[in-house]
Structure formats: structure tokens, C-alpha cells
Amino acid sequence: MTKMTLAKALNAGLRRAMEDDAKVLIMGEDVGKLGGVFRITDGLQKDFGEDRVIDSPLAESGIIGTAVGLAIRGYRPVCEIQFDGFVYPAYDQIVSQVAKLHFRSQGKVRMPMVIRIPFGGGIGAVEHHSESPEAQFAHTPGLKVVVCSNPIDGYWMIQQAIAADDPVIFLEPKRQYHADKAEIDEAADSSAVYPLFASRVVRAGNELTLLAYGPMVKVCLASAEAAAGEGRSIEVIDLRTLSPLDMGLVLDSVRRTGRAVVAHEAHVNLGIGAELAARITEECFYSLEAPVLRVGGFDTPYPPARVEEEWLPDLDRVLDAVDRSLAF
Amino acid sequence: MSSDVIASQFGPQLVQGSQRSDADGGPELVQLLTPEGERVEHGSFSFGEGMSPDEEAALVRGFYRDMVLTRRIDVEATALQRHGELGIWAQLLGQEAAQIGSGRALRPQDFVFPTYREHGVAWCRGLDPLQLIGLFRGVDQGSWDPHEHNFGLYTIVIGAQTLHATGYAMGVQRDGSVGTGDPDRDAAVVAYFGDGASSQGDVNEAFIFAASYNAPVVFLCQNNQWAISEPIERQSRIPLYQRALGFGFPGVRVDGNDVLATYAVTQAALQRAREGQGPTFVEAYTYRMGAHTTTDDPTRYRLSSDLENWKLKDPIQRVKVYLTRNGLVDQQFLEAVDAEAEELGERLRAGCRSMPDPHILDVFDAVYAEQTPELADQRSSYADYLDSFEDAAAAASTGALENAEGSR
């Protein structure tokens, strides 16, 4: 057992994936000597060489486009996009090539690629460094989208994503990178760990279901704790996978509690929360005591850092939505 | 400041005139067979080196056959589109030499990343032309196995495949299949693209990645002078092959209507790549004699005299003249090729018309390597929906429906 931050856990997970499979490559800007701007790939180039940990020219479409060719050649590229807001130059390659090649070739071409994206706000950065683009990718057939929220998941989910034969957008909550530590049992049997494309109840409750992922899991757990102080029992689900959505657990929970609130940093309009609200309404209509409520970023571009704490949904705004739902 | 002073500071003004689509390719054009069918020497490239005269003649006869059959595929597919059998077809008319010359220079272990117009290269890689036709008919999106033919899927998004080629070449490097000296192991990768694609960011990024990693890739640009309606001078103020120098690797302009020169230049570029000397840019200077696709109308934007001028440089005719004049073919061979083309045309017509449509439920099956539960649910719901019509129809045909209604 080792105590690790999310950043260290991802690093350890990447290392283990590279040890397990010589076809695994890491590509991206500054991932080599520097170890990435967040140090997620720290030390990997030194140990695995420049051919397996590839410092790329500063061109995101080039990173993903060459990764497509490497995947066709039989490699398993793990691409780092330095920041969420820099993924757009690669958007065409991701949406038109990575996502579609398996379909177009009727399965003759596989795209076992992982695209890691540090996402979300709360680090006081300049613009384009704090965005939450998950809905854009979850909306694209052919991609799978997962989000880790804690060190243990970071360690296992990155390995599972690399082992998957489909392209996986792997979102990492950057404000959690160095926030908390957790004990990780690296010797655990990897086949016995919690599956990748599955949501998880992270706090049991029976009056309302709070749905969150990535950076909002911690906020929602704190909100549930605060609500408990007022005698309210809130269930919190860490979605973990956004495409596919793992609705079984969510629907079971909402059928028990009758109420659901979705929280994410991304703007609310046409976001993951909208999809969840639609599916919950379709499947649990007669169990619902209140409409599904959404808490998220406002429908504006990400704001200047000095107001981001107000822009981002926090404990109070989550509790406000919880109160509104309970009062309905 | 006078323009003279500025010129002395920044170098001579670039002349756009040399880039016009009616230009002859300039003195830098590598040519080994003139439009009149005369063999000519070139200082750097030669055709037939190390071959006996018989071997050489057999190779050229093979090129002739490939080009005639490729043109027949193109003509036939264009006609099938006119008859409503294909949704669209991207014609290669006029580009046969550029494709057969480069395609025949490949070794089995080399890998090709094509655009959507590489029917001649596909032919060289052993694809059944019906597989190409299927894509344009709309029954699939590329039914061949890229790994079986070392020929990637057609790529519609302009230039995207140049990055795939570069990445694949980086994989070849990592597999240790460059510069070993083993002719059956060392591999090169070819990215096909056009003059229009040269303006795309992806193509320029591919150049940068390939140069940075010294990847074994040949960038084979068929400059057919037109990107739909936009002439080459809208894409570039300098000859395209000269761009390579700015990226740090050599570029060469070859007569793309000369199958011998295209073969020789591509072979040299491929060999460079296989030996580990890195990327090469080959600009095959040619002309799109047909429309961009069957939906296009070139009479709206280019002069018919332009086309007439290029017809004199026809890639097939010059080889036929060369072979005939030098007694390298007899009438029997030429007739046999024509007969083969007739047969091929007939097979394509029949094969196209009898192609089964895909089933709507098939669309769910290959989105992922590992099917998602939600997509499986969507598929089964839609299957139930379809079955409900069949149940109703079956009930109606047996009279069960009327009975059911009558018993209410």
C-alpha cells in the first residue's frame, strides 16, 4: 500500500501500463524530460526511452493524427492534451477519424487510443486552461468518455482505459491532482478492481440522489455531509463514465429516493446533466417527486480567474439545488 | 523606400505566373518519356536500371495494361453514376500515370494512405474495384481490410490521412523496420494527397512531424491543378515541391503524366525512406481531365483550351506510342488488354447492380470494439419496432387482424 495523490497515482498507473504492454506509447507536448506540465508523466521517458515517451511538436492535430497511424500499426498510444482548451485543434482528428475508423472499417481497424485531458477549473489559470468539454465528446458516437475523481480510480482507470480496444477520452480533474492522498494497493489483482465503464455509489442515502463526476464528486460529498448535519440523507453517485452512461445504478437510486440533482462544472445548456435528466425522466417518471435539477457553470465562456470561484458550482449552490428539490 | 530597396532586403519578388495550371511544369520537371512517346535521359533519375531489355519492356507493358484498366474502372464508374447506380464518383481521368507509376513502385510491406481518388493505386494494391464502387454506391464506407492490402481506407477529409501515414511510419521505425538492409523488411509509407490539401493544417503538421522524427514516409502530392474550382495559384505562390525545403526534407517535381518518371522518382523516394533517410515530397505534376466528382461542372471555371492542351499529354497514349514505335508490343497484346477492359467493365456493371444494401440494424454493430449496453439497447428496441410491422403484416395476411377486431 502506498499513499498517493491523483497525480502520482496516474503516473504509477501509466508506468504499470507501459511495463505490462510494450505497445503502449505516451505522446504529447512536454511529456518527456519535463514530465508534463502537471508532472503526470514524470520520469517515464527516463525509464522507457524517447521512442515510447514521445515529446511532440506543438500541434494537437498532429499528436492525435499520428497516434491514429500508430494505432493502425498496432500500437496503443496514450496522448496527453496539455489543457482542455487546447483540444480543439485536434477536434477534427478525434471526431472524424478516431471516433469513426472502427465503424467505417466494420471493425477491421481498431483505435485503442487514450486521450488524456486535464480538465475543469479552480486553479486560477488564464483563459483556455479551465474548461469542461466532456459533452462535446460524449455526444460523439465511437468515443468513450470517462472521468476519474480520486487517486484510487486514477490509478486503475487509466490502466483499464489503455487496455480497452476503443478510443477513450480520459478526463482528469486538474484541481484534484495534488489535493488529496489515498492508499493504493498496487499489488491488488487488476481483474478484480471496479470496472471502468461503471458508476459507483460513493455515499449512501435515501432522500435524494446527487450525481457528479470528476472535480464535483468532492464538492457533492461535502454537500451531502453538510445536509446530513441538517438531518437530510443524500446519496452521492460518482458517474465515472459519461459515454456510455451507466444508468442502471442511477435509475435504481432515483427510484428509491424520488429526487435527483446533477452537478458538473460544464455549462448546463445541452450538457451531461440534460441527458441524465431526460433519461431519468423517461425511466423513472412515476418515481419522481421533483423534476431533475441541474447545477453547473453558467452558459458563458469560462470567466477570468478572479470570479471563477463564484462561477463554479460550489457546496452552497449544490445545497441550494438540493433544498429546492426537497421542497418541491 | 523604393521597391528596389525592399527587394534587396527581402529577396526577389515571387512570380505567381509559373504556378498557373496551363504551365508546362517548368525546367525542374523530371520527365523520362515525353508526351510524344520519346524516352529522354534525366541527370538524377533513370528508368530500367539493372533490368534486361525484356524485363523493362514487360514492366512498361504492365504499366500500360494497368493504366488502361484503371481508366476503364473510372469510365465505368462514372457511367454507373450517370445511370443512378452510384451516389457520386471521384474521377481520376488523366492521373493514371501518377497512380500506376507510384503504386507499382511499392513493395508488399509498404503501406498506403490514400485520399478518395486513388483508384489506380488501389488497383496496384490488389483491391477489387467493386470494393471502391461499394463506397460510392453507399453500401459501405470502405469494405476492404487495410491490413490485408496495406492500403488504408479512403479518406474524405482533405489531408487528414497524411498524419496517419506519418504516425504509421513512426510505428515502422519503432518496429525496427527501417534501415536494416533487408529488402523484405524495410518499409516505407506513402501519403497521397492533392494540391488543395497542401493548404490544410494537417498536411503541414504531417510535414513537421515527419521531419522532426525522420519518419520513413513519402508525401505523394498529385498536383492536378484544381481543387474543385480553385486553381493551384489559389493554394500556392511557389511550386509545391519547393515547400518541402522549408520543412527540412527534399522535394521533387515529376511529370505525373509520365509513368516511367513517376515510377523512377517514387521508387527512389521509397528507397530513401526504407533506408532511414527520412521523408520526401514528390509533386506529381498532372491534370484532372475530368470533373472533381460527378456532381461538378468544370465548364463553369476553366477553359476548354486548357483541357485540350493537357489531352496532348495523355499518360496512356504516350506509352502506347512508345511501345508500338519500338516494337515492344504486338497488336495481339493491345487487343487482349482492350478485351480485358471490356470484361472488367461488364463485371463492374453487373457487380455494382447486384450489390446488396446493408441492413439498418448493421449500423449498430461496429461503432465500438466492445459494444456499449446503451447501443445494444437501442439496437434491440429498433429491432422490436421493425418486428412490430412484420407481426402486423403477418397478422393481416392471415386474417388474424380482422378476426381480432371483429371479436371486440
Side-chain angles (χ1 to χ4, degrees):
Chain A
M1 299 284 272
T2 320
K3 258 195 150 176
M4 292 187 214
T5 59
L6 175 59
K8 286 275 182 221
L10 287 165
N11 179 271
L14 287 167
R15 173 178 294 277
R16 183 152 165 194
M18 295 192 81
E19 284 165 355
D20 288 351
D21 184 350
K23 292 290 185 186
V24 175
L25 306 175
I26 288 176
M27 316 172 60
E29 297 159 4
D30 306 300
V31 297
K33 279 209 177 73
L34 182 68
V37 294
F38 290 106
R39 308 294 183 266
I40 306 303
T41 56
D42 190 32
L44 297 179
Q45 191 183 60
K46 185 169 154 283
D47 294 340
F48 294 98
E50 291 184 10
D51 273 356
R52 292 191 65 196
V53 180
I54 307 169
D55 267 328
S56 76
L58 258 71
E60 286 76 10
S61 191
I63 296 168
I64 305 300
T66 52
V68 168
L70 280 158
I72 294 174
R73 182 73 186 182
Y75 286 87
R76 302 182 89 84
V78 182
C79 303
E80 175 172 308
I81 297 293
Q82 201 159 66
F83 284 91
D84 35 58
F86 302 158
V87 72
Y88 300 108
Y91 194 65
D92 171 61
Q93 283 287 346
I94 296 173
V95 169
S96 295
Q97 306 297 330
V98 174
K100 290 180 180 160
L101 269 160
H102 190 274
F103 180 78
R104 287 165 56 207
S105 69
Q106 287 295 295
K108 296 181 194 80
V109 175
R110 290 196 164 185
M111 269 303 118
M113 185 190 302
V114 174
I115 301 174
R116 294 181 39 241
I117 310 178
F119 87 118
I123 63 161
V126 296
E127 55 187 333
H128 310 297
H129 289 70
S130 305
E131 300 176 5
S132 298
E134 59 270 21
Q136 320 236 20
F137 298 110
H139 187 66
T140 303
L143 300 177
K144 291 179 175 176
V145 183
V146 302
V147 195
C148 60
S149 67
N150 62 77
I152 298 168
D153 274 356
Y155 178 74
W156 292 111
M157 286 173 74
I158 190 64
Q159 294 180 60
Q160 292 166 321
I162 292 168
D165 282 330
D166 290 303
V168 178
I169 305 287
F170 192 91
L171 296 162
E172 301 167 2
K174 67 171 84 80
R175 69 167 140 138
Q176 288 299 317
Y177 272 149
H178 308 287
D180 306 302
K181 285 187 177 176
E183 293 277 358
I184 294 176
D185 179 8
E186 293 171 89
D189 176 6
S190 59
S191 61
V193 300
Y194 205 77
L196 179 62
F197 300 108
S199 300
R200 179 152 59 187
V201 175
V202 288
R203 181 187 173 106
N206 53 35
E207 287 182 89
L208 183 145
T209 306
L210 251 180
L211 302 168
Y213 53 88
M216 288 304 293
V217 172
K218 190 176 175 183
V219 176
C220 286
L221 283 170
S223 305
E225 184 63 29
E230 295 170 11
R232 311 307 305 232
S233 169
I234 311 290
E235 182 144 299
V236 181
I237 293 178
D238 181 352
L239 291 169
R240 299 171 86 253
T241 173
L242 304 182
S243 178
L245 280 168
D246 177 23
M247 290 305 292
L249 198 73
V250 173
L251 299 176
D252 286 349
S253 174
V254 177
R255 285 190 189 108
R256 271 190 291 107
T257 64
R259 300 171 201 273
V261 172
V262 192
H264 49 57
E265 286 191 15
H267 3 268
V268 164
N269 186 39
L270 293 171
I272 300 293
E275 181 62 27
L276 283 162
R279 293 208 203 177
I280 290 168
T281 307
E282 280 176 11
E283 299 292 330
C284 306
F285 190 69
Y286 292 109
S287 308
L288 286 173
E289 303 289 341
V292 180
L293 298 181
R294 293 168 291 162
V295 191
F298 301 110
D299 293 324
T300 71
Y302 199 85
R306 306 283 282 197
V307 292
E308 72 177 335
E309 294 303 336
E310 282 186 77
W311 191 91
L312 291 167
D314 61 2
L315 181 143
D316 288 331
R317 277 174 59 204
V318 170
L319 284 179
D320 173 63
V322 166
D323 287 347
R324 281 188 287 127
S325 177
L326 290 170
F328 199 84
Chain B
M1 226 183 306
S2 78
S3 59
D4 284 355
V5 173
I6 293 171
S8 72
Q9 285 174 321
F10 293 101
Q13 292 292 300
L14 294 168
V15 181
Q16 201 170 348
S18 68
Q19 275 300 85
R20 287 180 52 111
S21 60
D22 56 358
D24 65 0
E28 61 270 53
L29 191 76
V30 178
Q31 191 176 69
L32 299 174
L33 185 68
T34 69
E36 294 75 32
E38 300 285 349
R39 289 281 292 268
V40 287
E41 297 293 317
H42 186 274
S44 307
F45 298 97
S46 62
F47 176 79
E49 219 167 289
M51 278 187 257
S52 72
D54 281 352
E55 286 171 341
E56 190 193 290
L59 188 59
V60 181
R61 280 195 298 271
F63 292 160
Y64 173 78
R65 173 180 170 269
D66 287 336
M67 290 197 291
V68 169
L69 296 180
T70 297
R71 182 167 290 186
R72 188 51 183 254
I73 294 164
D74 193 58
V75 168
E76 208 60 56
T78 303
L80 282 165
Q81 193 280 334
R82 296 294 182 230
H83 288 143
E85 298 290 341
L86 303 186
I88 193 171
W89 177 253
Q91 296 167 272
L92 64 53
L93 190 69
Q95 297 176 222
E96 294 87 353
Q99 296 197 10
I100 298 302
S102 57
R104 284 298 176 209
L106 296 161
R107 289 190 188 148
Q109 71 269 27
D110 297 334
F111 202 104
V112 170
F113 286 85
T115 71
Y116 45 79
R117 204 190 296 280
E118 264 62 81
H119 319 316
V121 187
W123 172 260
C124 294
R125 298 311 270 175
L127 268 77
D128 185 333
L130 279 170
Q131 293 183 295
L132 308 176
I133 281 173
L135 190 159
F136 292 96
R137 185 173 168 88
V139 302
D140 56 56
Q141 295 174 333
S143 59
W144 60 93
D145 183 346
H147 301 296
E148 186 189 336
H149 299 278
N150 277 17
F151 184 82
L153 289 189
Y154 271 11
T155 302
I156 310 278
V157 177
I158 301 298
Q161 76 283 359
T162 57
L163 281 169
H164 308 166
T166 304
Y168 192 95
M170 290 162 64
V172 169
Q173 283 176 310
R174 279 157 181 75
D175 293 341
S177 296
V178 181
T180 68
D182 179 350
D184 297 322
R185 170 158 192 184
D186 291 342
V189 185
V190 187
Y192 282 87
F193 60 106
D195 42 296
S198 72
S199 298
Q200 285 281 348
D202 274 3
V203 174
N204 289 272
E205 291 188 19
F207 291 168
I208 288 165
F209 277 65
S212 180
Y213 301 120
N214 208 38
V217 59
V218 174
F219 294 108
L220 205 143
C221 176
Q222 290 168 82
N223 175 0
N224 70 11
Q225 316 296 333
W226 293 93
I228 308 188
S229 70
E230 301 205 349
I232 179 63
E233 59 261 36
R234 179 66 59 228
Q235 317 293 342
S236 183
R237 285 182 71 98
I238 60 163
L240 287 177
Y241 78 94
Q242 290 181 8
R243 285 205 186 152
L245 195 60
F247 290 93
F249 52 90
V252 59
R253 173 180 275 187
V254 61
D255 181 350
N257 284 19
D258 172 355
V259 70
L260 304 189
T262 309
Y263 179 84
V265 169
T266 309
Q267 199 175 43
L270 288 167
Q271 195 50 31
R272 249 192 113 241
R274 294 186 199 111
E275 286 173 5
Q277 297 181 56
T280 310
F281 184 114
V282 176
E283 178 188 2
Y285 197 77
T286 182
Y287 189 76
R288 196 195 74 207
M289 290 171 79
H292 164 66
T293 67
T294 43
T295 62
D296 180 32
D297 175 10
T299 64
R300 292 176 72 100
Y301 53 81
R302 68 185 188 189
L303 298 170
S304 57
S305 60
D306 212 12
L307 177 60
E308 293 307 316
N309 185 30
W310 276 91
K311 276 184 183 167
L312 300 174
K313 303 181 202 178
D314 188 280
I316 300 180
Q317 194 57 29
R318 70 175 79 178
V319 175
K320 191 177 183 180
V321 169
Y322 166 72
L323 288 170
T324 313
R325 193 183 290 152
N326 292 284
L328 301 174
V329 282
D330 51 23
Q331 197 53 32
Q332 202 185 343
F333 174 84
L334 298 174
E335 281 169 12
V337 170
D338 287 344
E340 200 181 352
E342 281 304 308
E343 246 170 71
L344 176 62
E346 205 168 301
R347 187 169 76 78
L348 296 185
R349 285 194 295 277
C352 174
R353 293 197 169 99
S354 64
M355 246 176 229
D357 284 340
H359 193 281
I360 182 63
L361 291 178
D362 297 343
V363 304
F364 297 97
D365 295 341
V367 179
Y368 297 101
E370 190 193 338
Q371 175 74 303
T372 63
E374 51 192 33
L375 205 50
D377 286 349
Q378 216 170 69
R379 187 191 195 281
S380 84
S381 305
Y382 193 64
D384 291 345
Y385 172 80
L386 292 178
D387 286 347
S388 72
F389 290 98
E390 281 175 24
D391 292 346
S397 71
T398 58
L401 196 63
E402 288 90 327
N403 291 342
E405 279 173 355
S407 69
R408 258 186 222 149

